[in-house]
Amino acid sequence: MSEASQASFVEANIEGDNSPSPLSEVDSLPSSPTTSSLESTTEDEEESDAEREWKESLQQLELLLTMVVVPYIGKYFGRKCAYWGQTCGLLMQM
């Protein structure tokens, strides 16, 4: 596109545009919250995010314990008890 065609397009939009000016659009927008309320909302969101992540990590740790650690501990002590139970049982029979 040439500069002349761009300029005429911009001028046509400015001259023929009946929409409200950008300043009146900004004036009609609701006012933004004060900085103190904005900061407190952000802190609340960060706290809730941290709390949510903490709960998720606790759930993952609980899942790890119930699915991996507890069965291996039970297997270890079950074999030890079975060994000593069998050994004591054989000693009692003698």
Side-chain angles (χ1 to χ4, degrees):
M1 259 181 147
S2 69
E3 290 181 29
S5 64
Q6 287 179 348
S8 64
F9 175 74
V10 172
E11 290 171 6
N13 277 343
I14 292 173
E15 292 171 0
D17 194 10
N18 291 332
S19 64
S21 68
L23 292 177
S24 65
E25 288 179 9
V26 172
D27 291 339
S28 67
L29 293 175
S31 63
S32 63
T34 62
T35 56
S36 62
S37 66
L38 182 61
E39 289 174 1
S40 66
T41 329
T42 306
E43 289 174 3
D44 292 341
E45 289 174 1
E46 288 176 3
E47 185 176 314
S48 65
D49 289 342
E51 188 175 326
R52 189 178 318 114
E53 288 181 17
W54 174 252
K55 287 180 181 180
E56 287 177 8
S57 66
L58 285 177
Q59 286 177 342
Q60 290 174 354
L61 182 62
E62 181 183 358
L63 184 64
L64 176 72
L65 286 172
T66 57
M67 300 294 283
V68 177
V69 176
V70 172
Y72 277 113
I73 290 173
K75 182 178 175 181
Y76 174 77
F77 284 115
R79 288 181 178 178
K80 290 293 180 184
C81 290
Y83 171 77
W84 286 109
Q86 193 176 31
T87 303
C88 289
L90 291 175
L91 290 176
M92 294 282 202
Q93 288 178 357
M94 290 186 173

